Each structure stands twice: as structure tokens, then as C-alpha cells.
mmCIF file of all heavy atoms in Angstrom:
data_model
loop_
_atom_site.group_PDB
_atom_site.id
_atom_site.type_symbol
_atom_site.label_atom_id
_atom_site.label_comp_id
_atom_site.label_asym_id
_atom_site.label_seq_id
_atom_site.Cartn_x
_atom_site.Cartn_y
_atom_site.Cartn_z
ATOM 1 N N GLY Q 181 -9.785 7.857 -5.946
ATOM 2 C CA GLY Q 181 -9.855 6.547 -5.309
ATOM 3 C C GLY Q 181 -11.042 6.414 -4.394
ATOM 4 O O GLY Q 181 -11.477 5.289 -4.099
ATOM 5 N N VAL Q 182 -11.655 7.556 -4.039
ATOM 6 C CA VAL Q 182 -12.911 7.552 -3.239
ATOM 7 C C VAL Q 182 -13.734 8.726 -3.755
ATOM 8 O O VAL Q 182 -13.325 9.845 -4.044
ATOM 9 C CB VAL Q 182 -12.568 7.786 -1.702
ATOM 10 C CG1 VAL Q 182 -13.899 7.911 -0.967
ATOM 11 C CG2 VAL Q 182 -11.696 6.723 -1.162
ATOM 12 N N VAL Q 183 -15.045 8.482 -3.846
ATOM 13 C CA VAL Q 183 -15.959 9.506 -4.349
ATOM 14 C C VAL Q 183 -17.460 9.216 -3.890
ATOM 15 O O VAL Q 183 -17.718 8.023 -3.565
ATOM 16 C CB VAL Q 183 -15.906 9.719 -5.816
ATOM 17 C CG1 VAL Q 183 -16.526 8.463 -6.589
ATOM 18 C CG2 VAL Q 183 -16.466 11.019 -6.388
ATOM 19 N N GLU Q 184 -18.253 10.190 -3.942
ATOM 20 C CA GLU Q 184 -19.650 9.896 -3.544
ATOM 21 C C GLU Q 184 -20.259 8.945 -4.593
ATOM 22 O O GLU Q 184 -19.806 8.944 -5.751
ATOM 23 C CB GLU Q 184 -20.449 11.187 -3.461
ATOM 24 C CG GLU Q 184 -20.510 12.074 -4.773
ATOM 25 C CD GLU Q 184 -21.267 13.346 -4.526
ATOM 26 O OE1 GLU Q 184 -21.455 13.712 -3.301
ATOM 27 O OE2 GLU Q 184 -21.484 14.064 -5.515
ATOM 28 N N ARG Q 185 -21.190 8.152 -4.146
ATOM 29 C CA ARG Q 185 -21.630 6.980 -4.948
ATOM 30 C C ARG Q 185 -22.069 7.316 -6.435
ATOM 31 O O ARG Q 185 -22.041 6.478 -7.258
ATOM 32 C CB ARG Q 185 -22.609 6.154 -4.181
ATOM 33 C CG ARG Q 185 -22.030 5.537 -2.976
ATOM 34 C CD ARG Q 185 -22.927 4.378 -2.460
ATOM 35 N NE ARG Q 185 -22.252 3.732 -1.368
ATOM 36 C CZ ARG Q 185 -21.276 2.731 -1.568
ATOM 37 N NH1 ARG Q 185 -21.021 2.334 -2.764
ATOM 38 N NH2 ARG Q 185 -20.752 2.099 -0.538
ATOM 39 N N SER Q 186 -22.634 8.485 -6.501
ATOM 40 C CA SER Q 186 -23.256 8.891 -7.903
ATOM 41 C C SER Q 186 -22.149 8.905 -8.977
ATOM 42 O O SER Q 186 -22.395 8.816 -10.141
ATOM 43 C CB SER Q 186 -23.958 10.190 -7.802
ATOM 44 O OG SER Q 186 -23.096 11.163 -7.413
ATOM 45 N N HIS Q 187 -20.930 8.999 -8.538
ATOM 46 C CA HIS Q 187 -19.805 9.017 -9.543
ATOM 47 C C HIS Q 187 -18.923 7.830 -9.434
ATOM 48 O O HIS Q 187 -17.732 7.846 -9.803
ATOM 49 C CB HIS Q 187 -18.905 10.304 -9.253
ATOM 50 C CG HIS Q 187 -19.647 11.564 -9.376
ATOM 51 N ND1 HIS Q 187 -20.286 11.987 -10.487
ATOM 52 C CD2 HIS Q 187 -19.938 12.599 -8.464
ATOM 53 C CE1 HIS Q 187 -20.808 13.141 -10.322
ATOM 54 N NE2 HIS Q 187 -20.631 13.517 -9.083
ATOM 55 N N ALA Q 188 -19.473 6.713 -8.940
ATOM 56 C CA ALA Q 188 -18.690 5.458 -8.659
ATOM 57 C C ALA Q 188 -18.046 4.961 -9.974
ATOM 58 O O ALA Q 188 -16.954 4.364 -10.034
ATOM 59 C CB ALA Q 188 -19.550 4.325 -8.185
ATOM 60 N N HIS Q 189 -18.630 5.235 -11.169
ATOM 61 C CA HIS Q 189 -18.118 4.775 -12.437
ATOM 62 C C HIS Q 189 -16.773 5.401 -12.852
ATOM 63 O O HIS Q 189 -16.084 5.015 -13.692
ATOM 64 C CB HIS Q 189 -19.153 4.964 -13.556
ATOM 65 C CG HIS Q 189 -19.548 6.374 -13.760
ATOM 66 N ND1 HIS Q 189 -20.223 7.111 -12.874
ATOM 67 C CD2 HIS Q 189 -19.203 7.249 -14.880
ATOM 68 C CE1 HIS Q 189 -20.372 8.387 -13.403
ATOM 69 N NE2 HIS Q 189 -19.756 8.411 -14.608
ATOM 70 N N LEU Q 190 -16.439 6.419 -12.119
ATOM 71 C CA LEU Q 190 -15.217 7.266 -12.367
ATOM 72 C C LEU Q 190 -14.075 6.830 -11.550
ATOM 73 O O LEU Q 190 -13.048 7.358 -11.579
ATOM 74 C CB LEU Q 190 -15.487 8.751 -12.307
ATOM 75 C CG LEU Q 190 -16.415 9.340 -13.380
ATOM 76 C CD1 LEU Q 190 -16.791 10.785 -13.162
ATOM 77 C CD2 LEU Q 190 -15.872 9.157 -14.716
ATOM 78 N N LEU Q 191 -14.239 5.859 -10.620
ATOM 79 C CA LEU Q 191 -13.134 5.445 -9.754
ATOM 80 C C LEU Q 191 -11.951 5.029 -10.627
ATOM 81 O O LEU Q 191 -12.103 4.312 -11.579
ATOM 82 C CB LEU Q 191 -13.568 4.297 -8.864
ATOM 83 C CG LEU Q 191 -14.451 4.670 -7.741
ATOM 84 C CD1 LEU Q 191 -15.067 3.391 -6.927
ATOM 85 C CD2 LEU Q 191 -13.871 5.586 -6.743
ATOM 86 N N GLY Q 192 -10.709 5.457 -10.277
ATOM 87 C CA GLY Q 192 -9.533 5.094 -10.992
ATOM 88 C C GLY Q 192 -9.220 6.140 -12.062
ATOM 89 O O GLY Q 192 -8.151 6.036 -12.683
ATOM 90 N N SER Q 193 -10.112 7.114 -12.302
ATOM 91 C CA SER Q 193 -9.868 8.093 -13.306
ATOM 92 C C SER Q 193 -8.718 8.970 -12.891
ATOM 93 O O SER Q 193 -8.432 9.237 -11.745
ATOM 94 C CB SER Q 193 -11.090 8.963 -13.547
ATOM 95 O OG SER Q 193 -12.171 8.255 -14.074
ATOM 96 N N GLU Q 194 -7.964 9.463 -13.920
ATOM 97 C CA GLU Q 194 -6.892 10.425 -13.620
ATOM 98 C C GLU Q 194 -7.356 11.862 -13.389
ATOM 99 O O GLU Q 194 -8.267 12.280 -14.161
ATOM 100 C CB GLU Q 194 -5.960 10.430 -14.852
ATOM 101 C CG GLU Q 194 -4.730 11.331 -14.635
ATOM 102 C CD GLU Q 194 -3.845 11.326 -15.877
ATOM 103 O OE1 GLU Q 194 -3.871 10.443 -16.712
ATOM 104 O OE2 GLU Q 194 -2.832 12.123 -15.861
ATOM 105 N N ILE Q 195 -6.940 12.492 -12.325
ATOM 106 C CA ILE Q 195 -7.332 13.846 -12.041
ATOM 107 C C ILE Q 195 -6.444 14.753 -12.985
ATOM 108 O O ILE Q 195 -5.204 14.794 -12.943
ATOM 109 C CB ILE Q 195 -6.995 14.221 -10.539
ATOM 110 C CG1 ILE Q 195 -7.552 13.196 -9.604
ATOM 111 C CG2 ILE Q 195 -7.601 15.609 -10.265
ATOM 112 C CD1 ILE Q 195 -9.069 12.967 -9.524
ATOM 113 N N ILE Q 196 -7.156 15.548 -13.755
ATOM 114 C CA ILE Q 196 -6.494 16.444 -14.725
ATOM 115 C C ILE Q 196 -6.317 17.872 -14.053
ATOM 116 O O ILE Q 196 -5.306 18.502 -14.163
ATOM 117 C CB ILE Q 196 -7.236 16.559 -16.024
ATOM 118 C CG1 ILE Q 196 -7.423 15.159 -16.650
ATOM 119 C CG2 ILE Q 196 -6.541 17.549 -16.993
ATOM 120 C CD1 ILE Q 196 -6.078 14.581 -17.019
ATOM 121 N N ALA Q 197 -7.441 18.317 -13.431
ATOM 122 C CA ALA Q 197 -7.418 19.719 -12.938
ATOM 123 C C ALA Q 197 -8.464 19.800 -11.761
ATOM 124 O O ALA Q 197 -9.446 18.985 -11.658
ATOM 125 C CB ALA Q 197 -7.775 20.684 -14.013
ATOM 126 N N ILE Q 198 -8.186 20.871 -10.864
ATOM 127 C CA ILE Q 198 -9.190 21.199 -9.869
ATOM 128 C C ILE Q 198 -9.503 22.592 -10.068
ATOM 129 O O ILE Q 198 -8.651 23.501 -10.132
ATOM 130 C CB ILE Q 198 -8.565 21.023 -8.427
ATOM 131 C CG1 ILE Q 198 -8.086 19.562 -8.203
ATOM 132 C CG2 ILE Q 198 -9.540 21.437 -7.347
ATOM 133 C CD1 ILE Q 198 -7.408 19.342 -6.894
ATOM 134 N N ASN Q 199 -10.789 22.921 -10.279
ATOM 135 C CA ASN Q 199 -11.175 24.342 -10.673
ATOM 136 C C ASN Q 199 -10.468 24.880 -11.832
ATOM 137 O O ASN Q 199 -10.003 26.064 -11.859
ATOM 138 C CB ASN Q 199 -11.146 25.224 -9.440
ATOM 139 C CG ASN Q 199 -12.261 24.981 -8.483
ATOM 140 O OD1 ASN Q 199 -13.243 24.307 -8.810
ATOM 141 N ND2 ASN Q 199 -12.086 25.415 -7.261
ATOM 142 N N ASP Q 200 -10.234 24.033 -12.812
ATOM 143 C CA ASP Q 200 -9.475 24.367 -14.013
ATOM 144 C C ASP Q 200 -7.987 24.653 -13.829
ATOM 145 O O ASP Q 200 -7.275 25.090 -14.807
ATOM 146 C CB ASP Q 200 -10.129 25.657 -14.702
ATOM 147 C CG ASP Q 200 -11.519 25.322 -15.197
ATOM 148 O OD1 ASP Q 200 -11.795 24.177 -15.638
ATOM 149 O OD2 ASP Q 200 -12.415 26.228 -15.111
ATOM 150 N N VAL Q 201 -7.467 24.458 -12.704
ATOM 151 C CA VAL Q 201 -5.994 24.591 -12.440
ATOM 152 C C VAL Q 201 -5.390 23.178 -12.564
ATOM 153 O O VAL Q 201 -5.799 22.209 -11.857
ATOM 154 C CB VAL Q 201 -5.758 25.195 -10.976
ATOM 155 C CG1 VAL Q 201 -4.254 25.279 -10.733
ATOM 156 C CG2 VAL Q 201 -6.424 26.480 -10.783
ATOM 157 N N PRO Q 202 -4.452 23.048 -13.463
ATOM 158 C CA PRO Q 202 -3.777 21.772 -13.645
ATOM 159 C C PRO Q 202 -3.373 21.124 -12.300
ATOM 160 O O PRO Q 202 -2.823 21.856 -11.486
ATOM 161 C CB PRO Q 202 -2.621 21.931 -14.633
ATOM 162 C CG PRO Q 202 -3.053 23.233 -15.354
ATOM 163 C CD PRO Q 202 -3.854 24.063 -14.357
ATOM 164 N N ILE Q 203 -3.513 19.885 -12.193
ATOM 165 C CA ILE Q 203 -3.172 19.145 -10.897
ATOM 166 C C ILE Q 203 -1.744 19.322 -10.551
ATOM 167 O O ILE Q 203 -1.406 19.423 -9.358
ATOM 168 C CB ILE Q 203 -3.566 17.659 -10.996
ATOM 169 C CG1 ILE Q 203 -3.635 17.041 -9.542
ATOM 170 C CG2 ILE Q 203 -2.741 16.868 -11.925
ATOM 171 C CD1 ILE Q 203 -4.694 17.584 -8.627
ATOM 172 N N GLU Q 204 -0.823 19.372 -11.556
ATOM 173 C CA GLU Q 204 0.551 19.684 -11.262
ATOM 174 C C GLU Q 204 0.806 20.982 -10.600
ATOM 175 O O GLU Q 204 1.658 21.098 -9.745
ATOM 176 C CB GLU Q 204 1.389 19.511 -12.565
ATOM 177 C CG GLU Q 204 1.404 18.114 -13.088
ATOM 178 C CD GLU Q 204 0.104 17.880 -14.006
ATOM 179 O OE1 GLU Q 204 -0.612 18.907 -14.294
ATOM 180 O OE2 GLU Q 204 -0.059 16.784 -14.506
ATOM 181 N N GLU Q 205 0.120 21.985 -11.056
ATOM 182 C CA GLU Q 205 0.156 23.285 -10.409
ATOM 183 C C GLU Q 205 -0.385 23.333 -9.060
ATOM 184 O O GLU Q 205 0.043 24.005 -8.169
ATOM 185 C CB GLU Q 205 -0.487 24.328 -11.368
ATOM 186 C CG GLU Q 205 -0.662 25.775 -10.817
ATOM 187 C CD GLU Q 205 0.755 26.336 -10.594
ATOM 188 O OE1 GLU Q 205 1.764 25.896 -11.054
ATOM 189 O OE2 GLU Q 205 0.745 27.472 -9.899
ATOM 190 N N VAL Q 206 -1.467 22.570 -8.864
ATOM 191 C CA VAL Q 206 -2.123 22.529 -7.538
ATOM 192 C C VAL Q 206 -1.075 21.847 -6.538
ATOM 193 O O VAL Q 206 -0.990 22.404 -5.488
ATOM 194 C CB VAL Q 206 -3.407 21.705 -7.529
ATOM 195 C CG1 VAL Q 206 -4.020 21.664 -6.127
ATOM 196 C CG2 VAL Q 206 -4.415 22.364 -8.510
ATOM 197 N N GLN Q 207 -0.444 20.833 -6.913
ATOM 198 C CA GLN Q 207 0.522 20.216 -6.135
ATOM 199 C C GLN Q 207 1.683 21.146 -5.774
ATOM 200 O O GLN Q 207 2.182 21.270 -4.695
ATOM 201 C CB GLN Q 207 1.071 18.941 -6.770
ATOM 202 C CG GLN Q 207 2.168 18.231 -5.920
ATOM 203 C CD GLN Q 207 2.652 16.944 -6.516
ATOM 204 O OE1 GLN Q 207 1.890 16.133 -6.932
ATOM 205 N NE2 GLN Q 207 3.999 16.758 -6.509
ATOM 206 N N ARG Q 208 2.135 21.951 -6.870
ATOM 207 C CA ARG Q 208 3.218 22.855 -6.615
ATOM 208 C C ARG Q 208 2.902 23.936 -5.592
ATOM 209 O O ARG Q 208 3.729 24.264 -4.790
ATOM 210 C CB ARG Q 208 3.599 23.436 -7.956
ATOM 211 C CG ARG Q 208 4.869 24.353 -7.870
ATOM 212 C CD ARG Q 208 5.071 25.213 -9.122
ATOM 213 N NE ARG Q 208 4.019 26.201 -9.229
ATOM 214 C CZ ARG Q 208 4.041 27.369 -8.535
ATOM 215 N NH1 ARG Q 208 4.972 27.585 -7.667
ATOM 216 N NH2 ARG Q 208 3.061 28.296 -8.683
ATOM 217 N N ARG Q 209 1.719 24.366 -5.736
ATOM 218 C CA ARG Q 209 1.217 25.498 -4.732
ATOM 219 C C ARG Q 209 1.113 24.925 -3.308
ATOM 220 O O ARG Q 209 1.389 25.578 -2.354
ATOM 221 C CB ARG Q 209 -0.044 26.041 -5.202
ATOM 222 C CG ARG Q 209 0.050 26.827 -6.524
ATOM 223 C CD ARG Q 209 -1.277 27.645 -6.687
ATOM 224 N NE ARG Q 209 -1.391 28.140 -8.073
ATOM 225 C CZ ARG Q 209 -2.443 28.850 -8.511
ATOM 226 N NH1 ARG Q 209 -3.348 29.254 -7.627
ATOM 227 N NH2 ARG Q 209 -2.522 29.203 -9.729
ATOM 228 N N ALA Q 210 0.625 23.663 -3.249
ATOM 229 C CA ALA Q 210 0.384 23.123 -1.872
ATOM 230 C C ALA Q 210 1.537 22.551 -1.241
ATOM 231 O O ALA Q 210 1.697 22.474 0.068
ATOM 232 C CB ALA Q 210 -0.671 21.972 -2.077
ATOM 233 N N SER Q 211 2.608 22.123 -1.967
ATOM 234 C CA SER Q 211 3.840 21.468 -1.340
ATOM 235 C C SER Q 211 4.458 22.209 -0.232
ATOM 236 O O SER Q 211 4.942 21.549 0.664
ATOM 237 C CB SER Q 211 4.825 21.140 -2.497
ATOM 238 O OG SER Q 211 5.357 22.315 -3.096
ATOM 239 N N PRO Q 212 4.538 23.551 -0.346
ATOM 240 C CA PRO Q 212 5.288 24.173 0.916
ATOM 241 C C PRO Q 212 4.483 24.007 2.255
ATOM 242 O O PRO Q 212 5.082 24.235 3.288
ATOM 243 C CB PRO Q 212 5.261 25.724 0.490
ATOM 244 C CG PRO Q 212 5.150 25.725 -0.965
ATOM 245 C CD PRO Q 212 4.281 24.577 -1.286
ATOM 246 N N LEU Q 213 3.215 23.586 2.191
ATOM 247 C CA LEU Q 213 2.500 23.416 3.468
ATOM 248 C C LEU Q 213 2.608 22.009 3.973
ATOM 249 O O LEU Q 213 1.971 21.727 5.059
ATOM 250 C CB LEU Q 213 0.965 23.690 3.117
ATOM 251 C CG LEU Q 213 0.557 25.211 3.087
ATOM 252 C CD1 LEU Q 213 1.180 25.922 1.913
ATOM 253 C CD2 LEU Q 213 -0.931 25.343 2.939
ATOM 254 N N PHE Q 214 3.341 21.121 3.271
ATOM 255 C CA PHE Q 214 3.386 19.794 3.665
ATOM 256 C C PHE Q 214 4.900 19.476 3.995
ATOM 257 O O PHE Q 214 5.660 19.313 3.090
ATOM 258 C CB PHE Q 214 2.834 18.821 2.645
ATOM 259 C CG PHE Q 214 1.351 18.931 2.482
ATOM 260 C CD1 PHE Q 214 0.850 19.939 1.714
ATOM 261 C CD2 PHE Q 214 0.535 18.032 3.103
ATOM 262 C CE1 PHE Q 214 -0.558 20.091 1.552
ATOM 263 C CE2 PHE Q 214 -0.855 18.144 3.001
ATOM 264 C CZ PHE Q 214 -1.394 19.213 2.233
ATOM 265 N N SER Q 215 5.271 19.474 5.209
ATOM 266 C CA SER Q 215 6.668 19.195 5.647
ATOM 267 C C SER Q 215 7.142 17.857 5.017
ATOM 268 O O SER Q 215 6.550 16.772 5.266
ATOM 269 C CB SER Q 215 6.797 19.084 7.109
ATOM 270 O OG SER Q 215 6.358 20.324 7.686
ATOM 271 N N HIS Q 216 8.258 17.919 4.211
ATOM 272 C CA HIS Q 216 8.643 16.705 3.564
ATOM 273 C C HIS Q 216 10.117 16.850 3.195
ATOM 274 O O HIS Q 216 10.599 17.933 2.991
ATOM 275 C CB HIS Q 216 7.846 16.424 2.291
ATOM 276 C CG HIS Q 216 7.952 17.451 1.196
ATOM 277 N ND1 HIS Q 216 7.338 18.687 1.304
ATOM 278 C CD2 HIS Q 216 8.749 17.457 0.070
ATOM 279 C CE1 HIS Q 216 7.618 19.427 0.229
ATOM 280 N NE2 HIS Q 216 8.475 18.697 -0.542
ATOM 281 N N ASP Q 217 10.809 15.726 3.117
ATOM 282 C CA ASP Q 217 12.190 15.694 2.694
ATOM 283 C C ASP Q 217 12.316 14.911 1.381
ATOM 284 O O ASP Q 217 13.447 14.671 0.946
ATOM 285 C CB ASP Q 217 13.176 15.247 3.704
ATOM 286 C CG ASP Q 217 12.632 14.003 4.497
ATOM 287 O OD1 ASP Q 217 12.270 13.034 3.902
ATOM 288 O OD2 ASP Q 217 12.657 14.071 5.771
ATOM 289 N N ASN Q 218 11.263 14.408 0.781
ATOM 290 C CA ASN Q 218 11.399 13.789 -0.515
ATOM 291 C C ASN Q 218 9.940 13.798 -1.103
ATOM 292 O O ASN Q 218 8.898 14.059 -0.536
ATOM 293 C CB ASN Q 218 11.892 12.322 -0.468
ATOM 294 C CG ASN Q 218 10.938 11.347 0.355
ATOM 295 O OD1 ASN Q 218 9.846 11.108 -0.054
ATOM 296 N ND2 ASN Q 218 11.406 10.773 1.434
ATOM 297 N N GLU Q 219 9.955 13.580 -2.443
ATOM 298 C CA GLU Q 219 8.668 13.775 -3.227
ATOM 299 C C GLU Q 219 7.689 12.656 -2.962
ATOM 300 O O GLU Q 219 6.427 12.850 -3.062
ATOM 301 C CB GLU Q 219 8.974 13.813 -4.721
ATOM 302 C CG GLU Q 219 9.679 15.110 -5.151
ATOM 303 C CD GLU Q 219 8.847 16.314 -4.890
ATOM 304 O OE1 GLU Q 219 7.672 16.393 -5.315
ATOM 305 O OE2 GLU Q 219 9.388 17.232 -4.224
ATOM 306 N N VAL Q 220 8.164 11.373 -2.599
ATOM 307 C CA VAL Q 220 7.312 10.302 -2.310
ATOM 308 C C VAL Q 220 6.434 10.662 -1.072
ATOM 309 O O VAL Q 220 5.180 10.478 -1.000
ATOM 310 C CB VAL Q 220 8.031 9.067 -2.036
ATOM 311 C CG1 VAL Q 220 7.137 7.846 -1.696
ATOM 312 C CG2 VAL Q 220 8.900 8.653 -3.323
ATOM 313 N N TRP Q 221 7.076 11.183 0.029
ATOM 314 C CA TRP Q 221 6.364 11.471 1.216
ATOM 315 C C TRP Q 221 5.424 12.677 0.981
ATOM 316 O O TRP Q 221 4.312 12.702 1.482
ATOM 317 C CB TRP Q 221 7.286 11.729 2.381
ATOM 318 C CG TRP Q 221 6.526 11.965 3.676
ATOM 319 C CD1 TRP Q 221 6.361 13.073 4.353
ATOM 320 C CD2 TRP Q 221 5.873 10.916 4.487
ATOM 321 N NE1 TRP Q 221 5.605 12.952 5.495
ATOM 322 C CE2 TRP Q 221 5.303 11.524 5.538
ATOM 323 C CE3 TRP Q 221 5.780 9.620 4.350
ATOM 324 C CZ2 TRP Q 221 4.624 10.850 6.563
ATOM 325 C CZ3 TRP Q 221 4.993 8.865 5.208
ATOM 326 C CH2 TRP Q 221 4.500 9.467 6.294
ATOM 327 N N LEU Q 222 5.818 13.628 0.126
ATOM 328 C CA LEU Q 222 4.957 14.743 -0.096
ATOM 329 C C LEU Q 222 3.676 14.284 -0.776
ATOM 330 O O LEU Q 222 2.542 14.626 -0.290
ATOM 331 C CB LEU Q 222 5.653 15.692 -1.133
ATOM 332 C CG LEU Q 222 4.745 16.761 -1.718
ATOM 333 C CD1 LEU Q 222 4.171 17.696 -0.750
ATOM 334 C CD2 LEU Q 222 5.486 17.525 -2.821
ATOM 335 N N ARG Q 223 3.750 13.344 -1.739
ATOM 336 C CA ARG Q 223 2.501 12.868 -2.354
ATOM 337 C C ARG Q 223 1.732 12.025 -1.434
ATOM 338 O O ARG Q 223 0.445 12.102 -1.400
ATOM 339 C CB ARG Q 223 2.850 12.095 -3.629
ATOM 340 C CG ARG Q 223 3.412 12.928 -4.743
ATOM 341 C CD ARG Q 223 3.457 12.148 -6.070
ATOM 342 N NE ARG Q 223 4.426 11.143 -6.025
ATOM 343 C CZ ARG Q 223 5.671 11.184 -6.492
ATOM 344 N NH1 ARG Q 223 6.078 12.337 -7.064
ATOM 345 N NH2 ARG Q 223 6.515 10.134 -6.469
ATOM 346 N N TYR Q 224 2.353 11.255 -0.584
ATOM 347 C CA TYR Q 224 1.646 10.407 0.380
ATOM 348 C C TYR Q 224 0.846 11.229 1.457
ATOM 349 O O TYR Q 224 -0.292 10.962 1.706
ATOM 350 C CB TYR Q 224 2.594 9.447 1.108
ATOM 351 C CG TYR Q 224 1.996 8.536 2.116
ATOM 352 C CD1 TYR Q 224 1.261 7.439 1.727
ATOM 353 C CD2 TYR Q 224 2.193 8.676 3.432
ATOM 354 C CE1 TYR Q 224 0.664 6.576 2.611
ATOM 355 C CE2 TYR Q 224 1.698 7.802 4.373
ATOM 356 C CZ TYR Q 224 0.858 6.774 3.936
ATOM 357 O OH TYR Q 224 0.267 5.937 4.831
ATOM 358 N N TYR Q 225 1.584 12.252 1.933
ATOM 359 C CA TYR Q 225 1.005 13.228 2.904
ATOM 360 C C TYR Q 225 -0.151 13.980 2.251
ATOM 361 O O TYR Q 225 -1.189 14.191 2.812
ATOM 362 C CB TYR Q 225 2.161 14.079 3.451
ATOM 363 C CG TYR Q 225 1.928 14.990 4.589
ATOM 364 C CD1 TYR Q 225 0.633 14.906 5.293
ATOM 365 C CD2 TYR Q 225 2.863 15.839 5.053
ATOM 366 C CE1 TYR Q 225 0.483 15.754 6.411
ATOM 367 C CE2 TYR Q 225 2.677 16.731 6.068
ATOM 368 C CZ TYR Q 225 1.513 16.636 6.766
ATOM 369 O OH TYR Q 225 1.273 17.509 7.833
ATOM 370 N N LEU Q 226 0.100 14.533 1.040
ATOM 371 C CA LEU Q 226 -0.766 15.294 0.341
ATOM 372 C C LEU Q 226 -2.071 14.552 0.064
ATOM 373 O O LEU Q 226 -3.220 15.145 0.121
ATOM 374 C CB LEU Q 226 -0.132 15.790 -0.922
ATOM 375 C CG LEU Q 226 -0.961 16.860 -1.822
ATOM 376 C CD1 LEU Q 226 -1.267 18.072 -0.978
ATOM 377 C CD2 LEU Q 226 -0.095 17.260 -3.040
ATOM 378 N N SER Q 227 -2.023 13.282 -0.248
ATOM 379 C CA SER Q 227 -3.165 12.514 -0.632
ATOM 380 C C SER Q 227 -4.162 12.461 0.553
ATOM 381 O O SER Q 227 -5.342 12.309 0.333
ATOM 382 C CB SER Q 227 -2.737 11.040 -0.992
ATOM 383 O OG SER Q 227 -2.254 10.363 0.093
ATOM 384 N N GLN Q 228 -3.735 12.618 1.737
ATOM 385 C CA GLN Q 228 -4.623 12.519 2.918
ATOM 386 C C GLN Q 228 -5.396 13.911 3.114
ATOM 387 O O GLN Q 228 -6.370 13.921 3.824
ATOM 388 C CB GLN Q 228 -3.784 12.265 4.227
ATOM 389 C CG GLN Q 228 -3.015 10.945 4.107
ATOM 390 C CD GLN Q 228 -2.057 10.836 5.199
ATOM 391 O OE1 GLN Q 228 -2.248 11.258 6.371
ATOM 392 N NE2 GLN Q 228 -0.907 10.167 4.950
#
């Protein structure tokens, strides 16, 4: 949703992986660090 201007043409692209780790796995590893009682808030909090 936000990126340095040289990559502006990629806005809206789907994130597949970070450092070759699938984004679903990244979220799974990060989720215990974000206090949440439902998945919607987890993603909203995580996005920040």
C-alpha cells in the first residue's frame, strides 16, 4: 500500500514472501507478539 517512489508501479501488488519466507508463515511467526482476540484485529495491528 505504501512504497518508495521508484516502485510506485507495484502499488496494490500481492505480497508473496519476505526474504523468501511465505507471507502466511511470516504472519504465523509474528502473531504471538501482537495481543489480539480475533484474526481481524491481528491483521489490522500487524499492518502497522
Side-chain angles (χ1 to χ4, degrees):
V182 177
V183 70
E184 58 185 13
R185 291 196 174 278
S186 61
H187 300 297
H189 63 289
L190 294 173
L191 287 172
S193 295
E194 181 179 347
I195 312 293
I196 302 298
I198 302 175
N199 285 344
D200 295 324
V201 179
I203 193 67
E204 296 82 8
E205 173 63 13
V206 179
Q207 177 177 316
R208 187 192 68 78
R209 294 190 196 183
S211 64
L213 281 66
F214 293 80
S215 300
H216 64 282
D217 44 49
N218 66 63
E219 290 298 305
V220 177
W221 186 253
L222 168 63
R223 291 192 293 263
Y224 181 73
Y225 190 5
L226 187 56
S227 69
Q228 300 169 36

